[in-house]
Amino acid sequence: MIEIGAQVDLSHPPDRVWLALTDRKLLGRWFAEADTVEGVADRLLLHTAELPGFEANVEVEVTERQEPALLVLACDEAGRLSELTCAVTATGQGCRLEVREVTTHGAWSAEQHDPREQQLRQALTVRLPAILDWLAFQQVDLRRGDGGMTTELPLVMLRASGRTRRRRRILVALVAGAALLAGTAAWITLPPESTPTAAPTSTGAPSPSETAGATAAAPRATPSTRPSRSTASATTRPSRTPSAQPPSSPASAPPPAPPAPPTPVVARYETDSSRLFGYTGEVVVDNPGGVAVADWAVVVTLGEGTTVDDVDGANWRLDGRTITFTGAPLAAGGSRTISFDVRDSRPKAREPESCTIGGQPCAGL
């Protein structure tokens, strides 16, 4: 007994998947064209002779049917007999389809087994989801009142324009905030305004108000400031008694500047392609610094009712709706591209809820 099997998680309800399994015309769109066998109920002839892993057309007959959960077929491929079981299990995001074929008489050759299983996996993971999306589109009513199906299209454009205006307002606010911070920093770093020296009185001695002003301004004077002649002549001869003010300590060398922190890695997101019930997201991670970065992680949060079909370019871990991407160290000036396929039951969803790297948001989202 030789077994071939594959399973796939689908973002569609079980009854829609059951229709794709049992409708003859739909079956021909994602697996193989089928003809009814005259005079025999529940029997079909699948045109599989040209498919990889098949040597002839397959005649199938339904032996068990439990709609929409179980379908069992007896298969005859030029005298080689097998049993094909299709099990549909409901999940929180849609359903899971498991297909298993077991030989009951005869066996497949080594050259047939792998291509046959690969053909089955490709049909389940690529062509069947496309047909299910098409079926779902037929069930979406885009009409509003009596205006026709095109009445929905201007509303989509208006929402897109409103989102663009919101992004522009956010960008203007960020630029204004940056300008305000820059002006505040420049005002703080300006040197204090110098106070003009008062002219001496005609008698050569400073007035009491001038003496008080000079005493109050003395702490502000720096050691490098040289007194003017008028100030020197106006001051009295210093006393022989040592001043009670402690001598100023010699200027110490400034501490060395700390090393500049390494430039963090950055990431940008874009939707590479989109379809009716899903999209392909792409994240490009860049290391603009001059040293390699060993540890980095991109965290993407998906929307409600979404599943991930395939990831390319990084290791990944799924926790609920949050995907964490990691990978090998990034060389200085290097970059890495991560792509992931998302199946989404929402017709208008085209991107995840958020994307961050090192706690910072990804550009483009």
Side-chain angles (χ1 to χ4, degrees):
M1 182 179 66
I2 302 177
E3 179 177 329
I4 288 178
Q7 72 175 25
V8 61
D9 289 324
L10 302 166
S11 56
H12 294 272
D15 56 347
R16 188 177 297 154
V17 177
W18 179 265
L19 181 62
L21 290 173
T22 56
D23 185 275
R24 181 170 57 88
K25 293 182 179 180
L26 294 177
L27 187 62
R29 291 178 176 268
W30 68 270
F31 184 66
E33 292 185 0
D35 292 331
T36 58
V37 177
E38 186 176 358
V40 181
D42 288 337
R43 181 173 292 186
L44 296 174
L45 179 65
L46 301 180
H47 295 272
T48 56
E50 303 299 326
L51 296 180
F54 291 84
E55 292 182 345
N57 294 335
V58 178
E59 187 174 321
V60 301
E61 183 178 359
V62 177
T63 59
E64 186 176 356
R65 179 199 301 262
Q66 298 177 16
E67 184 177 352
L70 182 65
L71 182 67
V72 181
L73 306 173
C75 306
D76 184 351
E77 182 186 356
R80 184 186 296 111
L81 306 181
S82 63
E83 184 180 71
L84 183 68
T85 303
C86 303
V88 182
T89 306
T91 62
Q93 289 75 33
C95 69
R96 175 174 299 148
L97 172 61
E98 183 178 2
V99 178
R100 183 170 57 93
E101 185 176 12
V102 179
T103 58
T104 57
H105 178 73
W108 300 298
S109 64
E111 292 77 13
Q112 283 183 287
H113 183 276
D114 292 344
R116 192 183 187 102
E117 188 170 45
Q118 185 176 2
Q119 173 71 16
L120 177 62
R121 291 181 183 276
Q122 185 177 14
L124 292 180
T125 59
V126 179
R127 293 192 294 271
L128 175 59
I131 291 300
L132 293 174
D133 288 349
W134 179 79
L135 283 175
F137 178 76
Q138 306 305 309
Q139 299 173 3
V140 174
D141 186 7
L142 298 180
R143 294 171 298 176
R144 290 195 175 186
D146 297 329
M149 295 181 66
T150 57
T151 57
E152 183 73 11
L153 299 180
L155 297 178
V156 174
M157 297 302 296
L158 287 175
R159 281 194 284 269
S161 300
R163 180 178 180 181
T164 303
R165 289 195 295 269
R166 287 196 298 272
R167 287 184 173 177
R168 289 178 179 174
R169 288 197 295 268
I170 293 173
L171 179 60
V172 170
L174 291 176
V175 172
L180 179 60
L181 291 176
T184 305
W187 177 79
I188 293 175
T189 55
L190 286 176
E193 298 181 358
S194 58
T195 304
T197 305
T201 61
S202 59
T203 59
S207 64
S209 61
E210 293 171 345
T211 306
T215 305
R220 299 182 184 177
T222 58
S224 60
T225 304
R226 298 181 58 186
S228 62
R229 291 186 177 182
S230 58
T231 305
S233 60
T235 55
T236 58
R237 181 178 299 177
S239 171
R240 297 177 182 267
T241 306
S243 173
Q245 183 178 2
S248 60
S249 58
S252 59
T263 304
V265 293
V266 295
R268 63 183 183 275
Y269 170 85
E270 65 177 319
T271 299
D272 182 57
S273 63
S274 60
R275 49 190 182 271
L276 180 62
F277 284 93
Y279 57 89
T280 299
E282 184 176 273
V283 179
V284 179
V285 183
D286 293 314
N287 178 15
V291 295
V293 175
D295 297 326
W296 58 271
V298 176
V299 180
V300 174
T301 301
L302 302 175
E304 291 285 352
T306 58
T307 58
V308 180
D309 284 347
D310 191 21
V311 175
D312 186 27
N315 301 323
W316 61 290
R317 183 180 73 256
L318 181 62
D319 183 9
R321 295 187 292 115
T322 301
I323 318 173
T324 302
F325 300 103
T326 57
L330 278 175
S335 65
R336 173 162 303 174
T337 301
I338 307 168
S339 63
F340 53 98
D341 293 332
V342 177
R343 301 197 58 78
D344 201 320
S345 58
R346 300 170 298 174
K348 299 173 185 177
R350 289 296 181 267
E351 59 187 25
E353 290 184 356
S354 66
C355 172
T356 60
I357 182 168
Q360 300 299 319
C362 303
L365 184 61

